[in-house]
Amino acid sequence: MKMAETHDDDDLKAADAKDLHRTVREEGEEELRRPAISLFWSGLAAGIAISTSLIAEAALHEHLPDAPWRELVVGFGYPIGFLFVVLGRMQLFTESTITAMLPLVTRPSAWALGRTLRLWGIVLLANLLGTAIAGWAIAHGIIGDDALRTAALAVSDKITRLSPGGTVINAVPAGFVIAVLAWVLPSARMQSFWLILSFTYILTIAGFSHSIVGSAQAFLLLFSGRTEPVETLLGLIAPAVLGNLIGGAGIFALLAHAQVRGEMPKELT
């Protein structure tokens, strides 16, 4: 009985920073070794699945009255895609900013750098292809009706209000928040659903720019004739990607590593 109680107590203990670092790092090392084709198909599935965030927000927007509180309720649609992607273990570019970065900063090498860039490139391309398919399908009425398309355009239009530079700055907190989410999930256990819901809901009501969800919105605007290709890729998507990288791989991943670097075994430093 005492051994069982001890085991239960251990399960209830929160993992410390070193444990989280090791767990996320090992997950990243596995991702770096995955075949390119596996990364691509997982990333494509993630791009399509994350687009359900836009669809859910549009459905709520369509059925709610034009009131000051509408955006707060519409925001509850935003986490849907993240729940599908994260709980479904699909490859999402913004989540991989920290998982791929920790192996690189722990054991810097040409192999780790090449594999990190390979992972990001494949996953980002696949994610964007998935969101482009979803954006095209919504724009042409293959997903939803005209009312849903109109609501989705209304939800998406807000990403055009920032300049490219403003989008970069606005995307930094989003990259940071998603990296924090990827960091804490290994210790979340049964609370994963609520963590994903709360983190991503804060993301949308704060108005931060997420590159992959934002790309679904950008492609919808493009395929609906609201934006031009260059504006879509270089003015809307690329700045959000850069900002997410700065916030996830450039800030949080380095801070997460720095806090445990002095306590790691010598062979890892």
Side-chain angles (χ1 to χ4, degrees):
M1 177 66 72
K2 188 173 182 179
M3 290 180 63
E5 289 176 354
T6 301
H7 179 70
D8 290 341
D9 289 342
D10 290 340
D11 285 343
L12 291 174
K13 291 179 181 178
D16 63 20
K18 296 191 297 297
D19 291 334
L20 288 174
H21 187 285
R22 184 183 66 255
T23 300
V24 177
R25 186 184 73 247
E26 290 175 350
E27 180 181 342
E29 290 169 349
E30 291 178 5
E31 291 177 355
L32 294 180
R33 292 186 175 92
R34 290 189 71 186
I37 191 65
S38 299
L39 292 173
F40 175 81
W41 287 116
S42 182
L44 180 64
I48 295 172
I50 202 74
S51 301
T52 56
S53 288
L54 172 57
I55 295 170
E57 284 189 293
L60 289 169
H61 189 279
E62 176 188 352
H63 291 95
L64 290 172
D66 186 6
W69 47 263
R70 180 165 69 174
E71 292 305 311
L72 293 177
V73 180
V74 168
F76 281 109
Y78 192 81
I80 298 300
F82 288 93
L83 288 166
F84 287 160
V85 169
V86 178
L87 296 181
R89 306 295 294 172
M90 303 173 199
Q91 291 284 167
L92 185 65
F93 170 71
T94 47
E95 190 180 6
S96 69
T97 55
I98 181 172
T99 54
M101 192 67 176
L102 286 187
L104 176 61
V105 297
T106 301
R107 297 188 184 96
S109 68
W111 180 88
L113 176 60
R115 283 283 170 156
T116 299
L117 295 177
R118 166 184 173 270
L119 172 68
W120 286 346
I122 294 171
V123 172
L124 178 59
L125 176 63
N127 284 173
L128 294 181
L129 180 57
T131 56
I133 292 171
W136 179 86
I138 297 171
H140 290 84
I142 298 172
I143 296 177
D145 53 18
D146 288 342
L148 182 70
R149 174 179 175 274
T150 300
L153 286 169
V155 170
S156 302
D157 185 63
K158 60 188 178 183
I159 69 171
T160 64
R161 298 171 189 171
L162 291 173
S163 66
T167 300
V168 172
I169 296 172
N170 199 51
V172 171
F176 190 92
V177 168
I178 296 301
V180 173
L181 177 60
W183 175 262
V184 301
L185 275 177
S187 64
R189 298 184 177 89
M190 300 302 293
Q191 289 76 42
S192 295
F193 175 90
W194 297 110
L195 277 176
I196 298 167
L197 178 68
S198 59
F199 273 54
T200 54
Y201 178 70
I202 292 171
L203 203 68
T204 186
I205 63 172
F208 296 140
S209 301
H210 185 273
S211 56
I212 309 304
V213 178
S215 70
Q217 299 170 329
F219 284 126
L220 171 61
L221 294 172
L222 172 64
F223 293 128
S224 299
R226 300 288 186 91
T227 58
E228 298 295 327
V230 172
E231 177 188 0
T232 301
L233 295 174
L234 301 183
L236 299 176
I237 297 176
V241 170
L242 177 58
N244 287 170
L245 270 175
I246 294 171
I251 298 179
F252 183 78
L254 295 179
L255 290 175
H257 179 68
Q259 69 171 325
V260 301
R261 187 174 184 276
E263 304 172 72
M264 296 174 65
K266 290 183 178 180
E267 63 268 20
L268 293 180
T269 57

